[in-house]
Amino acid sequence: MFCSQCGAQAGSSVNFCTQCGARISQQSAPVYQEPAQIYMQPAQENFSQPTVLWTLSASEKVSMFKADQCYIVFFPDRLVLDYLTKERLKIENEHLTQEIRQSDMGFFKKSAAMMSYWSGYAKRYATMQPDQILALSPENKVLWNSAISQFFFHCYSEDFDEDSNTRSSGGECIILFTNGAKMKFS
């Protein structure tokens, strides 16, 4: 049986969750629970200044025809999802366009500067803390490692850049939660 508030596993004879204190329903747990209810589960570990381990550019599958663009930022104790909403992309593009217009670059250099900015966008997370990423957009979410039961990543192709770093392109990511919820990314 699982807690409907935080997703923690609870014994069949307990009345309250040992993780969050919520009342445990004695009914059977649903097969699928909206994952939004487990994002803010407190971490078991206590990292004072977590460092970014990896950043993955992804699209979360919301429905058959809709996907939300985001970055999955991996920390030792959690994943932080930074969603790039249409409004946020528009603001960032307008800001960048103003900066580029003020420079003395030609058309092609301006276009290259725009492409370079977006291709290196994930590098900005390297020095950020989870709370800074969460503050970028109200849609952003935290996925605590303690709420994740399995993480699958299948890469479609891999190559090496000029510094001999592995670069993956294309793939699928599936996150399964302890309460049975699932998130899919491509």
Side-chain angles (χ1 to χ4, degrees):
M1 185 173 267
F2 295 94
C3 173
S4 62
Q5 270 313 108
C6 71
Q9 190 164 6
S12 59
S13 63
V14 298
N15 292 324
F16 296 94
C17 177
T18 58
Q19 295 294 316
C20 71
R23 186 166 194 73
I24 301 290
S25 170
Q26 294 305 319
Q27 303 169 0
S28 60
V31 175
Y32 177 81
Q33 178 183 349
E34 181 61 36
Q37 295 180 0
I38 61 173
Y39 292 142
M40 298 310 291
Q41 179 181 354
Q44 301 298 320
E45 303 91 354
N46 184 14
F47 294 95
S48 58
Q49 291 275 334
T51 56
V52 174
L53 302 173
W54 188 43
T55 302
L56 179 66
S57 175
S59 294
E60 181 184 3
K61 293 178 98 173
V62 179
S63 67
M64 182 177 268
F65 300 107
K66 185 177 186 304
D68 292 335
Q69 184 179 355
C70 70
Y71 284 91
I72 305 171
V73 186
F74 293 77
F75 289 92
D77 61 340
R78 70 196 99 174
L79 308 179
V80 178
L81 304 179
D82 183 18
Y83 289 91
L84 297 177
T85 62
K86 289 180 185 179
E87 297 82 23
R88 189 161 154 215
L89 287 170
K90 183 179 177 182
I91 291 168
E92 294 238 15
N93 276 326
E94 287 172 358
H95 177 72
L96 184 58
T97 301
Q98 285 178 342
E99 281 183 20
I100 290 173
R101 280 186 187 151
Q102 294 173 358
S103 68
D104 292 335
M105 292 188 265
F107 173 78
F108 292 110
K109 285 191 177 184
K110 287 179 182 178
S111 297
M114 183 72 86
M115 287 187 284
S116 176
Y117 176 80
W118 286 112
S119 67
Y121 192 80
K123 292 177 185 175
R124 69 187 300 197
Y125 300 110
T127 58
M128 295 177 80
Q129 293 298 306
D131 57 334
Q132 294 172 311
I133 299 169
L134 289 171
L136 294 173
S137 176
E139 289 84 10
N140 291 352
K141 299 172 183 157
V142 172
L143 307 176
W144 294 100
N145 290 354
S146 58
I148 298 172
S149 62
Q150 293 181 341
F151 181 94
F152 298 99
F153 177 71
H154 174 71
C155 178
Y156 296 145
S157 67
E158 224 174 48
D159 59 353
F160 296 92
D161 64 11
E162 61 274 356
D163 297 328
S164 298
N165 294 321
T166 305
R167 183 177 175 99
S168 304
S169 59
E172 183 177 57
C173 173
I174 299 172
I175 301 173
L176 301 176
F177 296 92
T178 57
N179 70 351
K182 176 172 35 173
M183 293 179 83
K184 292 177 100 176
F185 299 88
S186 58

